[in-house]
Each structure stands twice: as structure tokens, then as C-alpha cells.
Amino acid sequence: MNDSGKAAEYRLFLSDAHISVLPGPCPRRDRLVSFLRSLSPGPKELFLLGDIFEFWYEYETVLYASYFPLLHALATLRDQGTRIHLITGNHDFWAGSQFQSLLSARVSYDTGEAAISGRRVFLCHGDGFAPEDKAYRAFRRTLRSRPFTWFIGRFPPGMVAKIADRLAKWTRNRSDRSDDKDRRALRSLAQKKIAEGYDVFLCAHLHSPETAEIEAGGRKGLFLNVGDW
């Protein structure tokens, strides 16, 4: 609290919670929900930098029950005045109008930007930027294509959840082997964005927090990786 008795404004950045789509106990989800409910006052803005959910698909009449506690906690923050922004990651890239409607949220795909305290901030999840990772980039394009999105929607949600859970485990194993590529790609992109006029480059995906100063194009900026939940 400040001297005037009003809550100080702040922004909160979260990423890579990977809340399981399957029913059953989920300690990671419970810890996150408890944390969000403890925020009093809530942040002015909440930036979700991707992979909050292990899997997200927007069925017309179905929401996965394992997500209800987290969605309720987010909705409570929204009702208290928090503006919610989602930058999609490599697990929740199908988030769209349903997520927007549920939480009055702004959804940006892969990248976004914000103006915070007079600073221009570039936001991204962080996957898919390594040009040499051609196989993954092709796989990524296939998953996000309209035909594949339509195809997934033809199967029962429970079956899709089980497949998504197995696929998520596979991609995590792959990520362990590609962190160096992604880290180099993010540093390279950060230099480009700082040179373009951004003051802060803020990302996630690597599950490891990092802070570094970047100098490019005669400008200095800040590289931030928020790590994971």
C-alpha cells in the first residue's frame, strides 16, 4: 500500500504452468490457484506468456473440468479489475474466442507487445524461432493448420485429452534436447527487437529464469525470461 491508502499498480507475468488436461489431482494447478487467490489487490494486468495449460482446444460445448479451478481464479481477478493477456505457447496455441469470452481476455498468437511505465516491451512465448530446427517448425505448422484443427475437433474430447497428454510428454523430452537452439534463437531475436526500438524483451518457454542486458543497434535493452511456474 502507498501513503494514500490506494493499492500500488503492478503487472504480473506467468508462464509454463502446464496444467494437466486430465482429471485427477494436480498439485501444480492447486499451488497456482492458491497463489492467484492470495493476490490482494490483484495486478493491474496479468500477462500469461504461454503454456499455462498443457492442452487447450475450443469445443463449442465442452470445457475440460481440470481447468475449472484455474479459470475461476482468473475470472475472480478479472472481476476485480485485472486485465488478462494471453500470449499463446506451444501447448495452448488453439486458445481463441472462447478463452477471450470466458475472461474478457486479449489473446495474441506467438508474440505481442505492451507499454509499461513508458517502456516498450516485446512479449513472446519463445518456441519456433530457431531457423535450423526445420523438423519442429514443420510439425508446428501442421498442428496449427486449419485442416488439422478441424480434424482434431471430430474426435471425443476425452480421447483427444489422452492423446494430447502423451504428445505433451514427448514435446517436453524434445525441449530438453533443443534448449540451446531455442536460447540462441531468443537471444538473436532479442537483439533484433532492441535494435528496432523495444526496451525490454520478455519471453518464457525455457523453464529457466534469466536476466541480461542487451546492446544492439546502438541501443541498450533488457532480456528477461520469466522461467516457469
Side-chain angles (χ1 to χ4, degrees), residues 53-200:
F53 305 94
E54 191 72 282
F55 170 74
W56 183 277
Y57 189 88
E58 302 206 333
Y59 294 97
E60 289 185 9
T61 58
V62 174
L63 269 175
Y64 289 109
S66 60
Y67 295 156
F68 284 6
L70 178 55
L71 291 172
H72 183 266
L74 291 171
T76 299
L77 287 175
R78 176 208 58 198
D79 293 343
Q80 293 172 356
T82 296
R83 295 197 296 269
I84 298 172
H85 308 263
L86 172 66
I87 309 294
T88 59
N90 50 304
H91 287 261
D92 47 18
F93 54 85
W94 275 317
S97 58
Q98 185 187 70
F99 188 89
Q100 291 173 328
S101 177
L102 284 169
L103 299 171
S104 305
R106 176 184 176 184
V107 176
S108 301
Y109 296 95
D110 299 326
T111 66
E113 67 174 88
I116 300 175
S117 300
R119 292 177 175 85
R120 192 178 175 200
V121 181
F122 181 86
L123 304 165
C124 67
H125 176 66
D127 79 298
F129 290 115
E132 69 271 30
D133 205 351
K134 294 180 180 179
Y136 172 67
R137 288 161 70 93
F139 173 71
R140 187 176 185 269
R141 286 194 299 271
T142 299
L143 287 182
R144 298 171 184 230
S145 67
R146 288 186 177 181
F148 192 83
T149 301
W150 176 88
F151 178 72
I152 286 294
R154 308 282 72 78
F155 292 90
M159 177 189 296
V160 173
K162 292 177 181 178
I163 295 172
D165 182 69
R166 292 183 180 180
L167 184 60
K169 290 182 172 65
W170 176 80
T171 58
R172 276 200 297 276
N173 291 333
R174 178 206 161 272
S175 294
D176 292 340
R177 300 191 297 271
S178 64
D179 277 358
D180 287 343
K181 291 180 184 178
D182 289 335
R183 185 172 285 105
R184 289 194 301 270
L186 286 172
R187 282 300 189 99
S188 177
L189 182 60
Q191 290 181 325
K192 178 181 178 182
K193 293 302 176 182
I194 295 302
E196 289 176 359
Y198 289 92
D199 301 296
V200 180

